[in-house]
Amino acid sequence: MTQSCDGCRNDEPLDFDFSMAFQPIFDLRTERVWGYEALIRGMNGEGAYDVLSRVTPEKKYKFDQACRVKAIELASRLYPGDADLRLSINFLPNAVYEPAACLRATLVAARRNAFPLGAMMFEFTENEEIVDTGHLQNILSEYRRQGFITALDDFGAGYAGLGLLVDFQPDLIKIDMKLIRGIDVSRPRQIVVATMAAAARELGIEVLAEGIETEAEFTVLKATGIQLFQGYYFAKPAFESLPAIGALRSEFALDASALRN
């Protein structure tokens, strides 16, 4: 494996620290937590924007690498030893220089913490413009070779939409919350999301609906055949801890009876 690249040599060190919050992903098939997404937070629980606003272009590579390591370290400490749980990590495709070399810190962190590679899912977002599609294909190919799950985040709300799905078939797509919000009272949203879910199934791609806030949204989405769900209806992100589904005392808390319907 190549041990260095331009990013490794030229990136600036971070002059700030950060941590992670974790939000569960619910699997309807098993009625249990499928995994958790690691979300950037400040050291005192500040939101992601507070941290991301400090990431200059020169620090993007170092920050991307540090996020992976931080997520793995925290998850390995928080996940029960016998749990079959995935860890979802967001990454910046434009911050990856040479895929194999840029995975070095990730692989080292996984080995050091005895975290299985097959339990890691890497999400790239439509909201970051992909300037080199060939480079992205190389990234996805290398990640799959290593055994990682690949996912397209914010599907339906970014730069390329269905065009990106035609060029790349990740293991999973996450339908953006802008299409989810109010889907129970919007026939156009229902048709578009159902069509997306059906197309993904034909391509052998898993679908996750994110940003669910109400039981009505959840009920409509279940009818499309989607099996993976994420959002405040199930649990809010918890700072440096794993929230249980239905544990929140809020208007979006999931009542156990809802899972049986």
Side-chain angles (χ1 to χ4, degrees):
M1 178 185 294
T2 304
Q3 297 298 310
S4 64
C5 63
D6 289 343
C8 307
R9 291 189 291 268
N10 300 333
D11 64 299
E12 291 190 3
L14 296 179
D15 56 1
F16 61 90
D17 202 358
F18 63 93
S19 191
M20 295 280 179
F22 292 84
Q23 186 175 36
I25 297 168
F26 172 69
D27 190 339
L28 183 62
R29 291 162 296 204
T30 61
E31 296 190 356
R32 63 183 293 272
V33 175
W34 182 84
Y36 292 86
E37 180 178 1
L39 300 164
I40 299 162
R41 294 291 185 269
M43 292 303 293
N44 296 307
E46 300 91 343
Y49 178 78
D50 186 77
V51 179
L52 293 172
S53 63
R54 304 180 67 180
V55 181
T56 64
E58 295 76 21
K59 296 175 182 175
K60 183 181 287 188
Y61 173 83
K62 176 68 75 174
F63 180 69
D64 181 75
Q65 296 290 299
C67 284
R68 300 159 182 246
V69 173
K70 179 74 73 173
I72 292 169
E73 290 176 345
L74 283 172
S76 64
R77 190 182 77 204
L78 296 170
Y79 280 21
D82 58 348
D84 179 23
L85 294 171
R86 287 80 175 176
L87 171 64
S88 184
I89 302 171
N90 293 277
F91 80 97
L92 304 172
N94 294 334
V96 176
Y97 291 81
E98 203 288 314
C102 292
L103 277 175
R104 182 170 177 265
T106 305
L107 297 173
V108 169
R111 285 194 298 269
R112 184 173 64 244
N113 293 279
F115 201 91
L117 300 186
M120 281 191 272
M121 180 168 79
F122 282 94
E123 303 182 22
F124 66 98
T125 178
E126 276 197 72
N127 289 326
E128 183 184 15
E129 184 174 12
I130 305 300
V131 296
D132 185 346
T133 55
H135 180 54
L136 177 58
Q137 186 63 68
N138 289 337
I139 294 172
L140 296 183
S141 296
E142 179 61 25
Y143 282 25
R144 282 174 169 160
R145 191 183 73 80
Q146 295 289 350
F148 300 133
I149 303 168
T150 58
L152 173 57
D153 193 13
D154 303 315
F155 186 71
Y159 281 96
L162 291 172
L164 193 59
L165 192 61
V166 170
D167 292 330
F168 308 104
Q169 290 81 54
D171 299 303
L172 184 147
I173 60 171
K174 299 181 71 173
I175 297 179
D176 187 74
M177 65 179 65
K178 292 178 182 177
L179 293 174
I180 301 302
R181 188 65 60 251
I183 192 172
D184 53 302
V185 294
S186 171
R187 183 62 177 159
R189 279 181 168 78
Q190 293 170 17
I191 293 171
V192 169
V193 171
T195 301
M196 286 179 172
R201 280 193 294 271
E202 288 294 319
L203 293 169
I205 299 171
E206 182 84 82
V207 179
L208 187 157
E210 62 180 343
I212 300 164
E213 293 190 350
T214 69
E215 183 176 356
E217 291 171 351
F218 180 45
T219 299
V220 170
L221 290 162
K222 285 192 294 184
T224 68
I226 295 173
Q227 303 294 325
L228 296 177
F229 303 89
Q230 184 178 356
Y232 282 11
Y233 177 64
F234 301 95
K236 291 182 179 179
F239 181 64
E240 295 186 350
S241 62
L242 304 180
I245 285 180
L248 296 177
R249 297 176 182 175
S250 75
E251 60 181 311
F252 301 131
L254 179 64
D255 186 88
S257 63
L259 302 183
R260 296 193 290 268
N261 295 334

